[in-house]
Amino acid sequence: MAGEDEAKQELNVVGMVGLIVFYLIIFFAGILSHKILKRGRKEVQKSQVSSNTEDMMLAGRDINYFVGVFTMTATWVGGGYINGLYSVAFTDIIQLICIFVGLIFSIPWMTASDAVTTPLRSSNLTMFASQDQTYSKFFGKLEKNDVGIWIDYAIMLVFGGIPWQAYFQRVLSARSVSVAKTLSFCAAFGCFSAAIPSIVIGLITMNTDWPSSSYNQALLPDDYKLAVPLTLLHLTPPAVAFIGLGAVSAAVMSSTDSSILGVSTMFTRNVLINVFLPNVSDRVSMWLLRFTVIINTVIAMMIAILVKTVYGLYLICSDLVFILLFPHLVMVVHFPKRTNKYGMIVGFTIALLLRVLSGEPVLKYNAIIKFAGYVEPHTNTDGDYVYGKQRFPFRNLIMALNFLITLSVTFLTQKLFEKYPDLRKFDYLGAVKDQEEAHEMEKKEESQKATNGNV
């Protein structure tokens, strides 16, 4: 076993060279794209942004259909220090091409491997060590007790992916509202298409006799998340593995650079500038953004090195966005008159508290609030400690409670300020002023529509 562990930990030179080559290609492409685009922009386009910092964050609000579809798709399929969204948007095009070409090119070589069996075959291959499989490996198996978990995750992943900063940064960078809408729908189709090669590779993984491959042993449960690199390394020739692993690295970069630029932009704009340095110059703002990118990159690198499950962290992030931000985004966009800052703060706080008390195996702590069907922590057959698990769709429940609490507190505070005007002097968050400004804005829009209709 010691020899096998050493073999598994051995550095793969072909894969490492592939990563370096593709990283360099994307890095220099980002620099070149920024310089070319900046030279070609017209003065009327430059007038659409108020500062160089906003230009860097939103690419001059000039992202067109072609680039926009690619960059919105790449945001979710998973170079922004110097050039901001310009570089991110156009390197996303290269990255998506690498993903499609690299993975699709690799699939025929995988299926030609002697270790891969006929699809839909139900014979009991030793895919997992010490685990019987009495069901089709093509379709998998869903336990009745886990239906609540699947429903919870399915709804969370669909709606929790909407309020992300990286996505709205693309929306704000579009030329117009109609362009932003079109890009969103086209990118949704692009995301679906981009998932097809990974699904096919997953099916190949399920139908591979791993002990007969160069891997020389059955997959352990912890190895299953490495399906793509393992199939590339052990089922394809070195040259194909070089291209395929480069494609995987491109997929990682396409999501990482978008996320880092998004969180850096949000922190710089909403915290550093708006709260602490409201009168700072545009030049200093740009350097603050670049410095924030460096800090966030270092933090992300440390997390990637120290945390064993990056995918688990991604799920937690989607989890929190869905529970905390999705309700507020829906209300601000569709029901602006029925929500204010007091309702949002109370709803956010209670929802966060409930989520923390519900436990999280990825962060290695058990639940204090146990919903129906809760699986208590236990020790498995191998003697390993297993943290407790919620089977009830509690994320959706907490999200719904966030909706109700926000609406209720908003309604209560609005009525109090209306009935007792003297209480407005305690409106420290300016909720009444925001509401009045919203009403004035709505009246102006209605007046403008009426004027345009008469014309």
Side-chain angles (χ1 to χ4, degrees), residues 418-433:
E418 289 176 6
K419 190 173 182 179
Y420 304 101
D422 292 340
L423 292 177
R424 294 189 178 188
K425 61 184 178 182
F426 299 108
D427 182 20
Y428 299 111
L429 298 181
V432 176
K433 182 180 179 181

